[in-house]
Amino acid sequence: MDLKTLDQHIKITSDIAGGKPHISGHRITVQDIVIWHERMGKSADEIASDYSLSLSDVYAALTYYFDHRVEMDQAMLESEAYVKVLKQTTKSKLLQNFQTQNGQ
């Protein structure tokens, strides 16, 4: 029987997912799993099925999150703040094209 430990499910490598913890063999981050489960209300079974993961991968990601909750929550807040600033400071290419086409 091949038993995997948590560190075999979750990897952190600088060249994948920007160095964020991710599911081994996938580009799906622990943060993705957390958002789908905690914020969007998806069950572990749904996540595993929707993204071709094992249930143990999903639970390993959730375990990793709860073991590192403070720093992961902080990183998510920083990411959300960064996106908010980008939205405020970057003009939409779609809106610019629409305005150009309509003489605005």
Side-chain angles (χ1 to χ4, degrees):
M1 178 151 66
D2 182 29
L3 297 175
K4 287 179 145 182
T5 61
L6 182 62
D7 66 337
Q8 291 170 316
H9 285 277
I10 307 300
K11 297 291 182 190
I12 301 172
T13 53
S14 61
D15 61 333
I16 299 176
K20 293 180 181 176
H22 61 277
I23 303 296
S24 181
H26 299 271
R27 297 186 73 79
I28 297 171
T29 65
V30 170
Q31 181 175 320
D32 293 332
I33 303 281
V34 169
I35 289 169
W36 297 329
H37 187 266
E38 297 292 308
R39 296 188 182 176
M40 296 175 68
K42 286 188 168 199
S43 70
D45 287 328
E46 287 176 300
I47 296 167
S49 176
D50 289 350
Y51 299 97
S52 300
L53 300 170
S54 68
L55 269 175
S56 56
D57 287 335
V58 175
Y59 283 115
L62 293 172
T63 298
Y64 183 93
Y65 168 69
F66 287 115
D67 284 348
H68 301 88
R69 189 174 193 158
V70 172
E71 58 264 34
M72 290 206 64
D73 284 346
Q74 182 62 37
M76 285 191 274
L77 286 173
E78 289 169 5
S79 293
E80 290 167 3
Y82 178 71
V83 168
K84 187 176 180 179
V85 168
L86 276 181
K87 284 182 178 181
Q88 292 172 344
T89 59
T90 306
K91 293 189 178 196
S92 165
K93 297 276 186 197
L94 182 61
L95 181 58
Q96 287 175 348
N97 288 342
F98 176 79
Q99 290 172 338
T100 300
Q101 291 173 356
N102 293 300
Q104 296 177 357

